[in-house]
Amino acid sequence: MGKAGDEKKSGTTSATAAERAQKRDAAKKVLEQQMANLFKEKEERERRKGELEAELKSMGVKEAEKKQIRTDHNRREILYAREKRKQMTENDFDSIHVIGQGAFGEVRLVRMKGSGEYYAMKKLLKEDMMRKEQIDHAWAERQVLVLANHRNVCKLNYAFQDSTSLFLIMDFLPGGDFMSLLMNRDTLTEAETKFYAAEMIIAIDFIHNLGYIHRDIKPDNLLFDKDGHLKLSDFGLCKSYEGDPTAVTIHSANNDDDTEDVSNEEKKQKHKERARKQAMSTVGTPDYIAPEVLLKKGYGKECDWWSLGVVLYETLVGYPPFYADDAVKTCKKILKYKDTLEFPEEANLSEDAISLLSELICDSDHRLGAKGGLEDFSKHPFFAGVDWGKLGDEKPPFVPELTGPTDVKYFEEYRPVDPSASKHKVQPSRSVRKEVGNKEYVGFTYKRPLADAGTRKGLDKSLYEKPSS
């Protein structure tokens, strides 16, 4: 009895020591993150002050006016510091409508209490993120959105968390996604495609210049703002596939005959039906994935340009170039793209359009954009006449017809996710859930500078939120 009691006591002691070590490590990480945030905030304040002084110097205004501008600037800095210290929760927003669902949560149109401003709230369940090893993907999305301040990229305003979920509060883009437009129109003209392709290229090139690869370029992740301009979204959250399409090998691709006796009109119809179903599920499609990614070879930003080529092909032809009835057949067609890529005569594609698509859906070493980014495209004849610096001032081919700020006609109908209903039999222990909340996501909270500090005019707005062109 004595020996058994000693062993039980020893085990309890070890468990207690492990818990103490875990708490100590978590506390250390929190402290380190807080110190890092303080230094970063100081650097940001000094950067903004330097930009203010540089702009004041170039403005040629009187000293009294400069003094007033500096006073206003300091007041806004204080206001921002106060707002940043306030802890945000889901209860700070009124939920209006579910506008999207994914593998790890949902997206809602919400109204912020107090300000009355409308946002898109992406809510991600921590347990699902942990179970499917997506912790890094949540961080990647948050990090890219924090860095990205561009007119063709979806903007993050706030990020916060509670014990069970992560929250990303982004601009609400009421025009729906590019896939919905394609489903309604079947195809776009080359003139229309040129405009949207240019906006896609600008967004992708911007993300590449930040040092990131999107890796999920597809029509569903291109959203329209209220004026009809495209914005790139969904950074870092991978889609799940049925089976393992990446297991397809060069050997199997070269030895299986997957030719299908299906007309192009049937391909259009079947693709449209599948797209509608996938819009309502968490299962994606490999249609837009580059061959080097499927083969699990080393790859870089050029994989995004392949995906762009597939999106543009679908825009002009009506279905993806490697469409098949199932994911494995699609992957095999992608790996054999030199034999399977075709340009149907009935699509009436111009030589410039075929040239553009052929230079995107090709070997990664020779892919358009791989070396020069946006500059490669500016030299291509398909984009003749495009004023790349003024696209934001042009009227897009499609402008959403909206009745008000809560109009969600361009989004599918979704049922709200019931957080109490679990799809999984095995649940993480309480200690694991606590570790996820206190360790993996330390420092996740974010507030865009002066995002809720009132309307900024002139100089202040250019300093705090200067969208890149």
Side-chain angles (χ1 to χ4, degrees), residues 188-205:
L188 303 185
T189 66
E190 290 195 10
E192 293 169 332
T193 301
K194 180 190 297 188
F195 180 89
Y196 291 127
E199 291 203 319
M200 294 176 200
I201 290 164
I202 289 172
I204 295 170
D205 186 66

Side-chain angles (χ1 to χ4, degrees), residues 105-291:
E106 64 183 14
V107 182
R108 289 175 174 263
L109 168 62
V110 298
R111 181 175 51 243
M112 191 174 190
K113 296 176 182 178
S115 71
E117 295 180 359
Y118 294 92
Y119 297 103
M121 172 190 281
K122 178 179 282 191
K123 182 178 180 179
L124 305 171
L125 301 177
K126 288 181 180 179
E127 289 186 11
D128 284 346
M129 300 296 290
M130 178 191 66
R131 184 183 296 106
K132 298 177 183 179
E133 299 181 347
Q134 300 293 310
I135 294 171
D136 290 342
H137 293 291
W139 270 110
E141 177 154 39
R142 186 263 191 200
Q143 292 300 93
V144 173
L145 288 171
V146 166
L147 292 172
N149 187 19
H150 191 281
R151 60 180 172 82
N152 290 119
V153 177
C154 187
K155 187 171 94 174
L156 176 70
N157 296 286
Y158 310 100
F160 57 92
Q161 62 180 299
D162 60 21
S163 60
T164 62
S165 305
L166 303 173
F167 300 88
L168 297 170
I169 309 299
M170 298 169 289
D171 283 354
F172 172 50
L173 303 174
D177 59 39
F178 195 64
M179 176 59 81
S180 296
L181 179 65
L182 295 182
M183 288 168 64
N184 290 329
R185 290 278 307 274
D186 282 340
T187 61
L188 303 185
T189 66
E190 290 195 10
E192 293 169 332
T193 301
K194 180 190 297 188
F195 180 89
Y196 291 127
E199 291 203 319
M200 294 176 200
I201 290 164
I202 289 172
I204 295 170
D205 186 66
F206 175 77
I207 295 302
H208 289 175
N209 288 334
L210 288 180
Y212 288 88
I213 309 168
H214 190 281
R215 297 191 296 182
D216 199 17
I217 302 294
K218 58 184 180 182
D220 313 64
N221 292 338
L222 295 158
L223 305 178
F224 292 104
D225 66 16
K226 64 180 179 62
D227 298 314
H229 289 281
L230 278 179
K231 293 182 185 288
L232 184 59
S233 69
D234 261 353
F235 300 89
L237 290 179
C238 299
K239 300 290 184 180
S240 60
Y241 298 110
E242 289 184 292
D244 182 12
T246 59
V248 180
T249 64
I250 294 178
H251 181 270
S252 65
N254 287 335
N255 284 279
D256 289 344
D257 183 10
D258 290 303
T259 57
E260 296 176 283
D261 187 18
V262 180
S263 70
N264 292 330
E265 281 303 315
E266 287 178 299
K267 287 181 181 178
K268 280 186 184 180
Q269 188 58 36
K270 286 186 176 182
H271 172 63
K272 187 180 292 189
E273 291 172 0
R274 187 173 69 180
R276 284 196 179 97
K277 290 179 182 178
Q278 286 166 345
M280 305 290 286
S281 74
T282 60
V283 180
T285 170
D287 281 312
Y288 310 94
I289 301 177

Side-chain angles (χ1 to χ4, degrees), residues 232-458:
L232 184 59
S233 69
D234 261 353
F235 300 89
L237 290 179
C238 299
K239 300 290 184 180
S240 60
Y241 298 110
E242 289 184 292
D244 182 12
T246 59
V248 180
T249 64
I250 294 178
H251 181 270
S252 65
N254 287 335
N255 284 279
D256 289 344
D257 183 10
D258 290 303
T259 57
E260 296 176 283
D261 187 18
V262 180
S263 70
N264 292 330
E265 281 303 315
E266 287 178 299
K267 287 181 181 178
K268 280 186 184 180
Q269 188 58 36
K270 286 186 176 182
H271 172 63
K272 187 180 292 189
E273 291 172 0
R274 187 173 69 180
R276 284 196 179 97
K277 290 179 182 178
Q278 286 166 345
M280 305 290 286
S281 74
T282 60
V283 180
T285 170
D287 281 312
Y288 310 94
I289 301 177
E292 63 268 22
V293 178
L294 287 178
L295 291 171
K296 299 184 180 180
K297 297 168 61 177
Y299 61 88
K301 60 186 180 182
E302 63 276 358
C303 70
D304 285 343
W305 299 124
W306 168 286
S307 301
L308 172 69
V310 175
V311 172
L312 298 184
Y313 183 105
E314 180 178 350
T315 304
L316 292 167
V317 177
Y319 54 88
F322 309 108
Y323 172 81
D325 288 336
D326 63 66
V328 173
K329 287 182 180 179
T330 295
C331 290
K332 291 177 180 179
K333 282 188 172 184
I334 292 172
L335 294 177
K336 296 192 295 182
Y337 71 89
K338 292 181 181 179
D339 299 321
T340 57
L341 179 60
E342 298 177 344
F343 300 101
E345 291 184 11
E346 59 266 31
N348 295 316
L349 300 179
S350 68
E351 290 184 6
D352 289 342
I354 292 175
S355 170
L356 174 66
L357 297 175
S358 299
E359 291 180 54
L360 287 169
I361 307 173
C362 65
D363 182 83
S364 59
D365 292 336
H366 304 98
R367 204 169 291 160
L368 202 66
K371 295 181 180 178
L374 190 151
E375 187 176 352
D376 287 353
F377 294 93
S378 66
K379 297 175 182 177
H380 195 280
F382 183 81
F383 294 101
V386 172
D387 190 338
W388 295 85
K390 295 184 178 180
L391 280 173
D393 300 324
E394 294 185 21
K395 182 179 179 180
F398 161 70
V399 178
E401 297 178 0
L402 302 167
T403 59
T406 61
D407 192 341
V408 292
K409 69 164 65 75
Y410 294 102
F411 294 88
E412 297 283 347
E413 290 285 342
Y414 295 94
R415 289 184 178 181
V417 172
D418 181 1
S420 64
S422 175
K423 299 176 292 184
H424 309 279
K425 293 182 179 179
V426 180
Q427 295 289 341
S429 66
R430 182 180 178 183
S431 61
V432 171
R433 289 200 299 270
K434 187 175 181 180
E435 180 184 355
V436 170
N438 292 338
K439 184 178 179 182
E440 277 78 358
Y441 295 110
V442 169
F444 191 83
T445 299
Y446 169 78
K447 287 187 180 182
R448 186 169 291 277
L450 299 186
D452 56 354
T455 303
R456 296 170 300 282
K457 298 180 180 178

